[in-house]
Amino acid sequence: MMADTTIEPTLASLSERLRVLHRQTQETPLFNPVFQLSLDISRKLESGELSIDALAGLVDELEAQSLDARADRLRDLLAPQNAAERLAGMTGPTDDFDAFRAFWEQPHMHAVFTAHPTFLLSPQQSDAVAAAVGNGEAASVSDPHERPEITLGYEHDRAMAAMANAQDARDRIVETVLASAQQAFPDRWHEARPLPFRFASWVGYDMDGRTDIKWYTSIAFRLAEKAQRLDRYAASLEAVDPRHAMLEQLRGAAGRAHASAAEFAGDLSDPADLSAAANRLTADHDDKLLSLQPLIDQLESEARSAEGQRAVALRTLAAAMRADGLGMGWIHFRVNAKQLHNAIRTRLGEAADIDLSSRGAIAALRELLAGVEPQSANFASLAVESSTAVRQFLAMAQILKHIDADAPIRMLVAECEQPSTVLAALYFARLFGIADKVDVSPLFETETALEHGGRFLDLLLAEPDYRDYARKRGRIAIQTGFSDAGRFVGQIPASLAIERLQGRLAEAMDANGLNDVAALIFDTHGEGMGRGAHPSSFEDRIEWALSAWAQRRFARAGITLEPEASFQGGDGYLLFATPDIALATLTQIVAHSPAHTDPDVPTDPFYRRTDLSLDFYRAIKEHQRDHLESRTYSRAITAFGLGLLNETGSRKSRRQSDLSADREMSLRQIRAIPHNAILQQLGYPVNIIAGIGSAAESQIEEIGALLAESPRGRQIMRLVRASNALASIKTVAAFGELFNSAYWASRPYRGTEQHLAPACEALAEYLIKDDRNGVFRRLASRLRVDALKLHRLFDLVPDDDPHPERESVRRAIGVLQAVRLALLQHMFLKVVSVPAFSRANDISRTDVLEMVFTLRIDDALAQLRRAFPTSFPRKEDFALEEAGDYPRGAGEGYAAIRRDHIDPIEQAYALCLRISTAIANEFGAHG
């Protein structure tokens, strides 16, 4: 009997059991070792041989092991033990001052710290991973279960902490550069203005898809960042000279910024409160500091007359001020194109209803731009403005006027598919007199935007108003999105489409004589493979977002490239968890940045043999589209809703406009990060792997040879192999068995587990008409066929990045999945055993069952606790003089139902969510 299987609740025991079970697939191909292990565990759990507490201990072990895996992955990527050596090599002796200066005065990257919802790890877990990365030991967490509420304020605090570490690391780089220059070029080193990195954030400024950020919240964040940065400047200067005269000015300005930040962080909906806060902020005062340029000039002047380390330290501080301005870094506001369209239509008069994708709209906007007259505004203008887009421009104007007059501000426009949208943004920038300080940046992430992006850029750059604006700003800014693009067309086609768009930008700039303007390309990707983070090396990571081919297009056109990348939420901040880890990250970036681009490298065969590579790209994209539009895929991905995922951010994982949508969730309602996260949890990153094998099938020898010969092709296959090494089609199929009526009917069939017979029979009867078992089986079959073709392709392309330990990692994930499947079975058995109860608030017992099956556990528990209360009036609560015997005894009420059925569901689900964290750690990121 399977109940006699000898397994212990340890990773070692269950891994060995899984290894043995895998052998049976040779005899019975349809045998599912992952589900069988879950059944082994489930039988022991339901018989009482194994308790929930014992499983909790197992989850502790699995969770700890996954944190170690996360730390190992990060350590392999960053090689922090070699960071000092890398830095010394980069800043070593040279006899060409101009080349040395040029290499360090141009940012190797703009690093943007965003609040994407990837705050999966608690602060204690993040600290444990960081410590393990630094010391090479096991990750140790004192209280792994404590998770803070993730609010916008929490996200902002974490972003600022990461940026502070990044600043410290950059200071160390700049200090080393200046010290090296001082020694090698004693007569010229003062000419150097090192600026190896810029940092930015949109945490608190991103309005796309959010209604919970007030305009004065953004002002409060900017003031708090100003105060924090001034405090840090003062601390740096104090370390150089505790009696420096500038300290009083820095501290006074910091104190004033702290006071205003506190005021704007309150509720300013009352006009009197807003007026008081605004008047204090805008009033002239000795401590009002709007520009650091006089301070930078003073520090650099002092450095010229200073010697040795003091001179280097003063110039290092000046460099930090030049890079960050009066904030922790630059800031990005973000709106949706539709918000801009709504705002500009009110200005178009009789042309308000015009199709904004038409040439007529471009002409109308040209006329509007020609006649625009700048208008002044104040905080009352902000308070009364109803348009979200216009409010953003007003907020930027007030920040530039009253907080930091020097640092430019980015205006990111999401879902931007027409050049007229950019011209509309330019109109509002001119209207409020800030066009010289705002970089409007369209985001290309949808399939339509990527397909037609080249034409978009040709039209936009042909506009005289835009060209004049770009020359005054000194740059053209665009943004590409790997998350949504990867969701809609697959990660491989998305990267290739984005690469092509980047090349088209170089062509358009060259064709319009904009070679003297920089190209700022903001590639937004996450830390997960499905969202654009290549795991094999830092070189692959950088080139996946901005390929060597694209880099050479700009170099050959003589266009300065300003690469920018996102470090998203808690996952991204791990790369800056400490100053030492931040130094490792920044030195890796410098080592592989586009500054090393050689324009004369021979053309990669992948771009020369477009007869093969273009067909390959199109076939993968078509395969991915088939999945996305498939009812089978959509139903499988949404089978558990978002119930397999932890809350990881303050922004809702479902789009706010869809919260009242039908109970059957659609893929369009799920954002890119949870979509990727669900694929991880189901065990197969479809949007990375699927379609590669099928796309190569018709010309597999030729495509295999091309991918083997091409550096870009090998890079693609390294990503596919890394993802496939963590994937399991058997796991996908195992989820479907939870809904298999025949499984539940057969489980107690031969006299085993008779105590479960009523529950199993009830589940079997309920699930007869359920479609999810068939859905998962069909999906698994389709993935299997494609995987057979992929493995034939693998045989033709060398494995550049072999990891012999991958089988143990895959087995650890298999154990995690099996334990969770056993817990899900436990929850199903418990909920179906709950006694019938009366319908209330239009919620029936059947509704509650479905809530549990779709893992809407909080909703289900609320309904069950309503139906079976344990807190109710008792006789002794009343002070009555009249005697009465009824009812006799204290009465247990529904306490037994709570204890035996309801509470176990809550306990099991809590363990499921911890397993979700562990699985994400094995994949290296949330989503």
Side-chain angles (χ1 to χ4, degrees):
M1 288 173 56
M2 295 304 298
D4 295 331
T5 302
T6 303
I7 55 172
E8 299 295 332
T10 66
L11 174 59
S13 174
L14 297 177
S15 293
E16 176 58 21
R17 173 64 178 160
L18 190 58
R19 187 184 68 81
V20 172
L21 290 170
H22 267 291
R23 292 178 187 164
Q24 295 188 38
T25 59
Q26 295 177 340
E27 300 174 16
T28 310
L30 289 178
F31 179 74
N32 194 317
V34 175
F35 193 74
Q36 181 60 53
L37 180 58
S38 80
L39 177 56
D40 293 349
I41 298 167
S42 176
R43 280 179 160 151
K44 290 191 176 293
L45 180 60
E46 303 309 331
S47 71
E49 290 182 59
L50 189 63
S51 67
I52 281 285
D53 288 342
L55 278 183
L58 170 62
V59 173
D60 285 344
E61 181 189 2
L62 295 169
E63 198 170 42
Q65 188 272 338
S66 77
L67 291 173
D68 288 340
R70 187 79 176 262
D72 290 344
R73 181 185 288 265
L74 201 54
R75 193 184 306 111
D76 289 344
L77 182 69
L78 297 179
Q81 69 278 8
N82 301 326
E85 182 181 340
R86 283 197 298 273
L87 179 56
M90 295 166 182
T91 56
T94 177
D95 56 4
D96 187 342
F97 175 73
D98 291 330
F100 181 85
R101 177 181 175 181
F103 185 81
W104 290 108
E105 287 190 353
Q106 178 70 24
H108 288 267
M109 180 179 284
H110 296 237
V112 185
F113 296 77
T114 75
H116 282 81
T118 68
F119 294 89
L120 176 68
L121 302 185
S122 68
Q124 296 92 330
Q125 289 172 321
S126 295
D127 291 346
V129 170
V133 170
N135 60 30
E137 299 176 1
S140 176
V141 184
S142 58
D143 187 1
H145 309 151
E146 184 181 337
R147 292 181 62 85
E149 181 186 0
I150 303 173
T151 63
L152 181 62
Y154 172 85
E155 292 168 341
H156 189 265
D157 288 345
R158 300 296 287 180
M160 294 305 107
M163 293 178 79
N165 290 332
Q167 290 165 357
D168 289 344
R170 184 186 57 199
D171 284 351
R172 187 170 166 189
I173 294 172
V174 169
E175 182 181 34
T176 306
V177 168
L178 289 171
S180 178
Q182 185 185 51
Q183 184 174 1
F185 313 104
D187 298 329
R188 297 192 64 189
W189 79 278
H190 282 289
E191 298 173 30
R193 301 283 187 274
L195 209 168
F197 291 94
R198 285 198 189 277
F199 305 126
S201 173
W202 75 39
V203 185
Y205 310 98
D206 173 13
M207 304 290 179
D208 179 30
R210 298 192 72 143
T211 58
D212 60 330
I213 302 177
K214 306 293 186 186
W215 66 262
Y216 49 79
T217 307
S218 297
I219 301 293
F221 279 137
R222 193 55 178 160
L223 284 163
E225 291 163 21
K226 177 177 182 175
Q228 184 177 353
R229 196 61 179 114
L230 285 167
D231 285 338
R232 287 175 57 76
Y233 289 146
S236 296
L237 184 56
E238 185 177 28
V240 179
D241 183 353
R243 293 181 295 279
H244 198 285
M246 193 183 290
L247 285 170
E248 183 179 355
Q249 183 179 6
L250 289 171
R251 287 169 178 159
R256 181 176 172 82
H258 276 296
S260 281
E263 287 186 308
F264 276 86
D267 181 1
L268 297 185
S269 54
D270 187 302
D273 294 333
L274 173 58
S275 299
N279 288 336
R280 276 189 285 273
L281 176 61
T282 60
D284 289 331
H285 192 278
D286 290 343
D287 290 331
K288 187 172 184 177
L289 183 61
L290 297 179
S291 174
L292 286 174
Q293 193 56 51
L295 281 69
I296 293 170
D297 293 342
Q298 182 182 336
L299 290 171
E300 292 186 334
S301 177
E302 285 183 32
R304 287 185 180 277
S305 58
E307 296 182 0
Q309 178 57 33
R310 179 183 173 89
V312 168
L314 289 171
R315 290 186 63 80
T316 298
L317 176 56
M321 290 180 170
R322 184 177 284 110
D324 296 334
L326 285 165
M328 292 296 287
W330 289 3
I331 57 172
H332 293 186
F333 279 80
R334 200 164 96 118
V335 295
N336 191 283
K338 291 177 183 176
Q339 294 168 328
L340 269 173
H341 294 169
N342 292 337
I344 199 66
R345 287 187 187 281
T346 65
R347 314 281 169 153
L348 287 173
E350 294 181 358
D353 294 329
I354 197 169
D355 179 359
L356 289 175
S357 64
S358 67
R359 290 187 177 274
I362 297 283
L365 282 160
R366 270 193 218 119
E367 188 176 336
L368 203 60
L369 283 165
V372 65
E373 293 185 9
Q375 296 182 16
S376 63
N378 57 21
F379 281 104
S381 309
L382 259 169
V384 301
E385 178 58 53
S386 60
S387 162
T388 299
V390 176
R391 224 171 23 235
Q392 295 285 70
F393 284 95
L394 287 166
M396 290 189 287
Q398 292 304 93
I399 287 170
L400 288 164
K401 199 190 310 182
H402 299 295
I403 300 175
D404 185 346
D406 293 337
I409 299 175
R410 194 80 52 83
M411 170 52 88
L412 304 171
V413 184
E415 299 181 12
C416 189
E417 297 179 355
Q418 287 103 29
S420 57
T421 309
V422 177
L423 297 181
L426 180 55
Y427 167 80
F428 287 113
R430 285 188 181 176
L431 180 65
F432 300 117
I434 56 175
D436 61 331
K437 288 291 185 182
V438 172
D439 291 307
V440 178
S441 178
L443 168 59
F444 300 89
E445 62 179 345
T446 64
E447 185 175 359
T448 300
L450 291 172
E451 272 189 13
H452 304 294
R455 179 66 176 154
F456 174 112
L457 292 169
D458 290 339
L459 290 171
L460 180 63
L461 271 59
E463 285 300 309
D465 280 310
Y466 183 80
R467 287 202 304 270
D468 290 346
Y469 159 71
R471 285 200 168 94
K472 287 175 184 174
R473 284 295 307 130
R475 65 168 59 95
I476 289 171
I478 68 167
Q479 181 187 7
T480 67
F482 283 77
S483 291
D484 270 323
R487 172 166 62 120
F488 294 132
V489 301
Q491 187 53 229
I492 307 301
S495 178
L496 295 174
I498 287 170
E499 171 186 59
R500 183 169 177 270
L501 177 77
Q502 293 162 345
R504 287 294 300 271
L505 175 61
E507 287 179 21
M509 291 178 71
D510 191 30
N512 286 281
L514 291 167
N515 310 70
D516 56 337
V517 172
L520 195 159
I521 301 178
F522 180 16
D523 294 309
T524 44
H525 64 80
E527 295 305 310
M529 288 179 272
R531 295 200 306 112
H534 201 300
S536 297
S537 68
F538 223 97
E539 181 177 14
D540 278 347
R541 177 192 174 97
I542 287 178
E543 289 188 358
W544 191 254
L546 188 61
S547 74
W549 176 86
Q551 293 176 28
R552 287 193 290 272
R553 303 282 282 191
F554 290 96
R556 288 169 182 163
I559 297 169
T560 299
L561 193 56
E562 291 189 63
E564 186 168 61
S566 57
F567 294 87
Q568 298 184 355
D571 282 349
Y573 301 170
L574 269 178
L575 280 81
F576 298 89
T578 68
D580 286 341
I581 292 176
L583 181 67
T585 299
L586 296 186
T587 52
Q588 286 282 15
I589 293 170
V590 173
H592 303 293
S593 77
H596 303 280
T597 302
D598 181 356
D600 300 321
V601 170
T603 302
D604 185 322
F606 192 83
Y607 307 100
R608 194 174 64 247
R609 291 294 311 274
T610 52
D611 58 317
L612 289 174
S613 59
L614 194 56
D615 285 348
F616 185 55
Y617 155 78
R618 287 171 175 159
I620 301 170
K621 183 174 149 185
E622 190 65 32
H623 189 100
Q624 288 283 337
R625 182 187 286 117
D626 287 348
H627 271 304
L628 195 68
E629 294 177 356
S630 159
R631 160 75 181 171
T632 295
Y633 180 73
S634 177
R635 181 69 170 124
I637 299 306
T638 60
F640 298 101
L642 301 176
L644 290 172
L645 308 182
N646 290 274
E647 287 288 336
T648 57
S650 65
R651 188 175 77 169
K652 298 299 181 186
S653 293
R654 288 183 70 182
R655 300 189 178 277
Q656 291 183 2
S657 59
D658 294 322
L659 287 176
S660 60
D662 193 272
R663 288 184 184 184
E664 187 172 305
M665 189 181 294
S666 98
L667 276 181
R668 295 283 173 181
Q669 290 172 259
I670 303 177
R671 295 180 182 274
I673 292 174
H675 178 256
N676 277 277
I678 289 170
L679 292 176
Q680 291 174 353
Q681 297 303 322
L682 293 180
Y684 202 84
V686 175
N687 67 339
I688 303 172
I689 306 170
I692 307 295
S694 297
E697 181 185 18
S698 62
Q699 296 176 288
I700 192 164
E701 297 290 340
E702 294 88 343
I703 288 176
L706 174 64
L707 296 175
E709 181 189 0
S710 157
R712 180 64 160 161
R714 298 274 277 264
Q715 189 179 64
I716 289 170
M717 294 307 289
R718 285 194 293 275
L719 178 68
V720 175
R721 282 186 192 273
S723 183
N724 187 67
L726 301 171
S728 167
I729 296 173
K730 291 288 189 184
T731 298
V732 176
F735 278 102
E737 293 307 300
L738 292 171
F739 302 100
N740 186 348
S741 175
Y743 162 72
W744 291 108
S746 303
R747 181 163 171 173
Y749 179 59
R750 291 191 176 274
T752 61
E753 303 184 293
Q754 282 303 298
H755 61 293
L756 297 181
C760 286
E761 183 178 340
L763 281 168
E765 188 169 359
Y766 181 86
L767 293 170
I768 285 174
K769 296 180 180 179
D770 195 277
D771 67 332
R772 280 167 284 197
N773 175 240
V775 160
F776 277 101
R777 286 191 174 191
R778 286 192 297 276
L779 178 59
S781 296
R782 185 173 185 196
L783 296 177
R784 178 65 69 195
V785 171
D786 181 58
L788 292 172
K789 300 170 185 177
L790 176 62
H791 283 276
R792 288 200 289 271
L793 182 62
F794 280 160
D795 292 338
L796 300 175
V797 183
D799 186 354
D800 294 333
D801 190 26
H803 286 271
E805 77 285 357
R806 278 179 175 164
E807 195 53 45
S808 64
V809 173
R810 191 197 289 261
R811 198 158 289 142
I813 296 174
V815 170
L816 284 161
Q817 295 282 16
V819 173
R820 183 167 59 186
L821 286 163
L823 288 165
L824 291 173
Q825 292 180 65
H826 187 64
M827 292 159 60
F828 286 14
L829 289 166
K830 291 298 181 184
V831 73
V832 82
S833 301
V834 171
F837 56 87
S838 59
R839 188 181 189 93
N841 299 324
D842 204 30
I843 301 293
S844 68
R845 182 174 184 273
T846 299
D847 293 324
V848 173
L849 291 180
E850 196 55 41
M851 286 175 185
V852 171
F853 295 153
T854 55
L855 299 188
R856 292 168 55 196
I857 302 302
D858 288 344
D859 292 342
L861 291 174
Q863 293 300 326
L864 290 171
R865 285 171 176 152
R866 174 203 57 77
F868 301 101
T870 55
S871 177
F872 43 81
R874 298 177 181 274
K875 285 179 65 178
E876 53 267 28
D877 295 338
F878 301 89
L880 300 180
E881 296 180 2
E882 180 185 9
D885 294 331
Y886 180 83
R888 295 182 183 275
E892 192 180 42
Y894 295 123
I897 295 174
R898 286 276 187 105
R899 181 192 65 233
D900 297 336
H901 301 294
I902 300 174
D903 291 346
I905 294 173
E906 182 174 39
Q907 294 163 353
Y909 185 56
L911 293 180
C912 285
L913 291 179
R914 289 177 58 199
I915 288 172
S916 294
T917 298
I919 289 173
N921 284 337
E922 296 288 357
F923 274 87
H926 172 77

